[in-house]
Amino acid sequence: MPRTDRPRSTTSVWRRKPVSDMTEESGGSGLLRTLGLWQLTAIGVGGIVGVGIFSLAGLVAHGDATTPAVGPAVVLSFLIAGLASAAAALSYAEFAGMIPRAGSAYSYGYVALGELVGWFIGWDLLLEYVAIVAVVAIGISGYLDAFLSGFGLELPTAITETADQPGGVVNIPAILICLFVTFLLSRGTRTFGRFELVAVAIKILLVVFIVVLGVFFIDPANYDPFLPNGFGPVFTGAATVFFAVFGYDAMSTAAEEAKDGRRHMPKAIILSLVIAMVLYVAATLVLTGMQNYQDIDPKAGFASAFTGVGLPVVASVISVFAVVSILTVMLTFLLGATRVWFSMSRDGLLPGWFARVDRRGVPQRVTWIAGLGAAFFAGVFPIRAVADLTNIGILAAFVVVCIAVIVFRYTKPDAPRTFRLPFMPVVPIVGVGFSLFLISQLHPETWLRFGVWLVIGLVVYFAYSRRHSLLNPDSPRRRPGTTSETPGDTP
């Protein structure tokens, strides 16, 4: 019987990848299936909880030269961001149960809305995931500096700050952290999964310790005023901390390395977001209760809070474990960047050279290229500029996934789904609305940078990807005897 899900046109930019092709390719990709439910959940929590608590919460509460302080209402910023993220998370969960494939939002857009949409989301995610790794590295370097300061050691500003700061030149610690994480990921998903499980357990225990101990030092006077600059900055803050509530989307790029992706991916997505939001609400209330928002260190909020109440030793301990726990965020998003890149290369939209995997099932080439790119961002760009750039890209991906899940529910109603999003289409429409609203809160410079990246992507698509796509019967990648016919093979 001929397939009924083949694309109607093989030349149109709206040609859609058949679900059957996705399933067949994931079965022989060369990636190793080693991740169970709790390892997947750990990767999700590892991607969500980290820099949001340890760095961005303090940054948004305190404010900076371009954005007014949110103060204690930073907890509302997290709740708003979490609500928007939850609607998208349910959309991701439905797709993940149908298409357990490495591409995540790229694959979902390709299947439901066509190649051009899938391309733009994949191209978008390549930049955003790499930039996220850089943001987290900058956050870790702030806690590393706080830790060394506790022992009376001060690193020169020229090698710990970027050029936008007085005396700064390049952030060397952030660069070294990016390279270390790249090396760790290059050792394979089995090693990575074990490290992630242990590190996430440490992270959760650390946050619980911070909350339980910090409760005893809360001064209710620090909550007044709760909204020091009105409600407007709360939404701007939500757009910034949104970076901290979407790690599950990067986790979904590991679907081909899950032992049972169809059953475990939807559960892991929902579990990771619920755990993260409970921790975020508790931690932000404690942070702004311990210290007046004006005195919070934007780069190392909890370390400064405990130093402020006379517990510098606790601050040093927090700084050490914050560094370890935030590494999991970097690992999750670097994994996401490499798997999206791998998936796009396998589909012919990028050269097949990138999709080669080694004997450990690791696409080493894209892993190191992405890692070096993150090191560059971390070394020379300020944290808010990079954080906002990542947010507009991820929010755009959320809009596409929420629209795609609606379209696919009506165009492929009988496709097997291990999880069905409730209240269709209300939930994904809410996700679209919240995501577009949060995009509108970002700075115009962020829109400009994002637009430039998409224009570059458009040029690449029409110059290379459209012709080389494996959905194109005349693609050079389909010619017998070329090495790119089987891009997932081990060299």
Side-chain angles (χ1 to χ4, degrees):
M1 181 179 294
R3 288 181 181 171
T4 58
D5 61 345
R6 300 306 292 174
R8 292 181 182 177
S9 172
T10 56
T11 59
S12 170
V13 297
W14 307 112
R15 56 195 173 197
R16 287 175 289 181
K17 187 85 169 176
V19 176
S20 56
D21 282 7
M22 294 281 189
T23 304
E24 290 170 8
E25 290 170 353
S26 64
S29 65
L31 301 176
L32 303 181
R33 296 186 180 276
T34 61
L35 304 173
L37 173 61
W38 293 110
Q39 285 175 310
L40 289 169
T41 303
I43 293 172
V45 174
I48 300 173
V49 178
V51 75
I53 285 181
F54 296 114
S55 293
L56 290 184
L59 174 69
V60 172
H62 180 273
D64 60 18
T66 61
T67 308
V70 175
V74 65
V75 66
L76 299 182
S77 294
F78 274 98
L79 287 172
I80 292 170
L83 182 59
S85 186
L90 293 171
S91 300
Y92 271 85
E94 177 163 322
F95 269 122
M98 288 189 295
I99 309 169
R101 193 176 189 262
S104 184
Y106 154 72
S107 296
Y108 309 154
Y110 203 166
V111 165
L113 301 177
E115 185 172 276
L116 186 61
V117 175
W119 161 262
F120 270 123
I121 293 305
W123 182 253
D124 161 29
L125 292 179
L126 290 181
L127 175 65
E128 311 319 322
Y129 285 165
V130 169
I132 289 169
V133 176
V135 173
V136 179
I138 297 168
I140 292 179
S141 70
Y143 271 91
L144 182 62
D145 188 46
F147 169 69
L148 294 175
S149 297
F151 292 94
L153 300 174
E154 295 287 344
L155 294 176
T157 302
I159 64 168
T160 59
E161 295 286 355
T162 50
D164 63 298
Q165 298 295 321
V169 178
V170 61
N171 193 330
I172 297 295
I175 291 175
L176 295 177
I177 291 164
C178 285
L179 296 179
F180 169 73
V181 168
T182 304
F183 170 76
L184 188 59
L185 187 60
S186 73
R187 308 318 294 166
T189 52
R190 189 183 301 275
T191 300
F192 157 71
R194 289 170 179 168
F195 175 86
E196 193 87 349
L197 195 59
V198 173
V200 166
I202 293 173
K203 176 188 297 189
I204 292 175
L205 290 174
L206 174 62
V207 175
V208 171
F209 168 76
I210 288 172
V211 170
V212 171
L213 182 60
V215 163
F216 294 99
F217 296 93
I218 289 178
D219 181 357
N222 288 328
Y223 291 130
D224 186 20
F226 188 73
L227 292 161
N229 290 292
F231 213 85
V234 171
F235 290 109
T236 303
T240 297
V241 302
F242 193 82
F243 162 84
V245 295
F246 56 70
Y248 56 80
D249 73 303
M251 177 263 287
S252 68
T253 65
E256 285 182 43
E257 291 150 284
K259 294 176 182 176
D260 188 349
R262 291 187 185 278
R263 288 197 310 115
H264 290 164
M265 289 304 302
K267 294 177 183 178
I269 288 172
I270 296 169
L271 275 173
S272 60
L273 183 60
V274 169
I275 292 170
M277 288 311 302
V278 170
L279 295 176
Y280 275 142
V281 169
T284 50
L285 287 173
V286 167
L287 174 63
T288 53
M290 289 180 64
Q291 192 172 36
N292 186 279
Y293 72 92
Q294 295 174 316
D295 300 323
I296 294 174
D297 181 351
K299 293 183 68 177
F302 279 102
S304 70
F306 279 98
T307 299
V309 296
L311 295 174
V313 174
V314 173
S316 297
V317 171
I318 289 173
S319 297
V320 171
F321 284 100
V323 169
V324 174
S325 63
I326 295 177
L327 284 175
T328 63
V329 181
M330 298 180 66
L331 282 165
T332 298
F333 283 104
L334 188 58
L335 173 76
T338 61
R339 275 29 177 195
V340 170
W341 200 335
F342 167 85
S343 190
M344 294 176 72
S345 299
R346 179 174 56 186
D347 290 338
L349 302 185
L350 290 172
W353 183 86
F354 293 119
R356 296 289 183 179
V357 298
D358 66 4
R359 59 184 177 81
R360 298 187 183 94
V362 178
Q364 292 285 357
R365 293 164 178 171
V366 297
T367 297
W368 281 101
I369 294 171
L372 290 171
F376 172 74
F377 277 121
V380 302
F381 288 102
I383 187 169
R384 183 180 282 275
V386 186
D388 284 349
L389 181 61
T390 66
N391 286 341
I392 192 171
I394 298 299
L395 285 164
F398 277 16
V399 169
V400 169
V401 171
C402 289
I403 292 173
V405 79
I406 297 173
V407 171
F408 211 63
R409 181 72 73 88
Y410 291 102
T411 58
K412 296 291 182 182
D414 299 325
R417 292 169 169 85
T418 57
F419 173 82
R420 296 181 71 87
L421 185 154
F423 305 112
M424 175 67 83
V426 175
V427 171
I429 289 175
V430 169
V432 171
F434 266 112
S435 297
L436 291 176
F437 175 75
L438 292 177
I439 287 175
S440 73
Q441 301 300 302
L442 294 170
H443 296 290
E445 293 86 351
T446 303
W447 287 56
L448 178 62
R449 296 185 189 108
F450 183 63
V452 169
W453 179 251
L454 291 187
V455 169
I456 294 172
L458 191 65
V459 172
V460 173
Y461 176 77
F462 282 103
Y464 177 90
S465 307
R466 185 183 182 191
R467 187 168 68 91
H468 288 78
S469 168
L470 294 186
L471 292 188
N472 178 7
D474 299 321
S475 169
R477 293 280 294 272
R478 285 180 169 272
R479 290 173 185 166
T482 61
T483 58
S484 55
E485 277 187 289
T486 54
D489 291 346
T490 302

